Each structure stands twice: as structure tokens, then as C-alpha cells.
Amino acid sequence: MTEDGNPKDLVPNTRIRLEFAEQPNPNEEGPRVYHCFGAYAGCNQLGASAAAGELLADGRLWIDGYFVTQQRCEPPLMVQDEWLTRFLVSKPSWHLNDGQLTLASAGTAITLLDRKIAEPDFPLDGRRWKVDTVIIKDGDLRQYHHGAEEAWITFDGERLTGWTGCNELSGVVTRTRTELTFTGVTTTDHACTGETAEVETAILTTLRATVTYTIDYNRLTLLTPAGTGLDLTANR
């Protein structure tokens, strides 16, 4: 980042993240597709949407209406959020070149690197994937189990191993680019209780057959055909 040609620093241990996405319009009226925009710099999140083609029209970022979450943070983070919001709504010019996006307005410029380059997705193998949440409905509704013992799974080629929170597990896994098929999954036979038992049930239900999987940096999502599954993370 620069202001009037001079480097500008972020609050320590923060980054600016921008996200662009497409979302279909569920209503019969209006544009068929909306372009969505999100921004985050360590505290609150800014979001906006526009009809397809309008968000980045004429070489500028057009944010005419937006929302901002209302989380209270330390003063330096709040000031940084306000500064970023003012910049983003000033209709900055944009230029994309070889994975780098540059926004510029009134002497201020921000250059961002494509997330897939800055933070490549973790490989599936050789990581301990910790179970964070259980997906209980339609791939969307998450359930947290704060009282459960930590559970995890690992992949090593065709070998699956893990810990349900109270039992060891093992099995065989085969894969395509988008799916994992589990066979022969077995566990030790210790009785689980409370939330740990619920998490174990969710793990074994997910590992019962074929699931789709996606990796987003250090986050792994396993999703069954019924829309249930698991969210997992690996240490950075």
C-alpha cells in the first residue's frame, strides 16, 4: 500500500482481503446474476452486491450501497476499517495483471496478490485435519460442539487414520479430484459420552461411503449426498 507515493503500513498481524463472487438471483425480476464483493482488514466485514457487469464497470470499483458488520474492536483496527471503507467507496480504478490486483484512488494505491498464489491450498495428504464443525443440513447449517474432545483424521495415500475424541479409527480411502470413497472404516470400542459421542457419530456417518471434498487453503469440507458432513482445519 502507498499514499502519495509513500509506503503505508497495516496494523500489525492484519491483512486486507477482498473477495469477488457471482450469485444467482432467486427472484424472477431483476438481473439473473449478481456480482458480490467482500472486504476484511482484521475487524469488521464490508459487503456489497451489484448487477452483473456493474461492480467493475469502466475500469472502476462501483460500491454504491454496502453493509458493514458492527463488531467492536481495538481502536487501531476500527480506524483501519474506516480508512479502508472510505477508499473502497471512492470508486477506485482497478487493474489486474498476472495474479495481482491494484486499486488506486486519490493518491492511494493497494496491490493485492491472488489468494491461491499467496496462500496455496494445503495438500490432502500428510496433514492432521481437526474436526471444527458438524454440517447437519443441506451443506449449510453448522453445529459447534465446544464441549467435545478434539477429533481429527489424516490421509496417507489409500490409508485413513484418525481419532474420534475417544476412539482410534482407521480405514481405506480412494479418491478422484472431487470425491473420496471410504471402505473398511473401523474404530476401537471405548464408550463416548456427551458431545464427544455426537461428534463421533457425525464422523462415522460421514465416512460411511462416498463424499465430495473441497480444500480452501487450510480448510477441508467433506459433504455427503444428503448434505451433511464435516468442516476440518489443518495447522498453518
Side-chain angles (χ1 to χ4, degrees):
M1 299 190 305
T2 59
E3 281 189 326
D4 298 323
N6 299 312
K8 177 178 175 61
D9 294 328
L10 286 170
V11 174
N13 300 316
T14 64
R15 290 183 176 183
I16 292 175
R17 296 177 182 268
L18 306 183
E19 182 176 1
F20 299 85
E22 287 189 353
Q23 180 175 320
N25 182 3
N27 302 315
E28 294 183 0
E29 298 181 356
R32 296 179 60 185
V33 175
Y34 281 102
H35 283 174
C36 302
F37 173 78
Y40 179 72
C43 181
N44 284 291
Q45 298 186 53
L46 178 148
S49 63
E54 294 181 3
L55 186 65
L56 298 170
D58 301 322
R60 292 188 174 275
L61 177 64
W62 297 85
I63 299 179
D64 293 321
Y66 62 92
F67 70 87
V68 178
T69 57
Q70 298 298 314
Q71 179 177 334
R72 295 196 62 82
C73 306
E74 294 295 323
L77 292 174
M78 299 289 286
V79 170
Q80 181 166 277
D81 272 6
E82 293 168 358
W83 172 85
L84 180 61
T85 298
R86 288 195 301 272
F87 173 79
L88 293 174
V89 301
S90 70
K91 298 179 175 57
S93 63
W94 65 270
H95 177 70
L96 183 63
N97 180 43
D98 197 24
Q100 288 191 332
L101 173 66
T102 299
L103 303 176
S105 176
T108 298
I110 302 176
T111 298
L112 303 102
L113 185 63
D114 188 307
R115 206 277 298 164
K116 292 291 186 180
I117 300 173
E119 298 175 339
D121 293 337
F122 281 17
L124 182 65
D125 289 329
R127 300 282 181 173
R128 177 175 288 195
W129 297 99
K130 181 175 70 72
V131 177
D132 280 340
T133 59
V134 174
I135 306 170
I136 60 175
K137 185 179 180 182
D138 299 330
D140 186 35
L141 186 59
R142 264 70 172 170
Q143 186 175 57
Y144 297 82
H145 290 272
H146 299 291
E149 295 295 326
E150 181 174 303
W152 51 268
I153 57 177
T154 62
F155 300 89
D156 183 8
E158 295 185 351
R159 185 167 178 248
L160 169 76
T161 56
W163 174 252
T164 70
C166 63
N167 281 294
E168 297 178 1
L169 68 83
S170 61
V172 175
V173 58
T174 56
R175 70 187 75 182
T176 67
R177 292 183 63 184
T178 59
E179 292 185 335
L180 301 173
T181 300
F182 302 99
T183 56
V185 176
T186 60
T187 68
T188 51
D189 194 24
H190 300 290
C192 303
T193 59
E195 290 186 82
T196 299
E198 295 176 16
V199 171
E200 179 178 82
T201 298
I203 292 172
L204 298 180
T205 299
T206 302
L207 304 184
R208 192 169 287 163
T210 299
V211 301
T212 59
Y213 76 99
T214 56
I215 298 176
D216 185 13
Y217 182 43
N218 70 327
R219 297 193 64 82
L220 169 66
T221 299
L222 305 179
L223 204 59
T224 71
T228 62
L230 303 169
D231 279 333
L232 309 97
T233 59
N235 290 334
R236 291 177 171 80

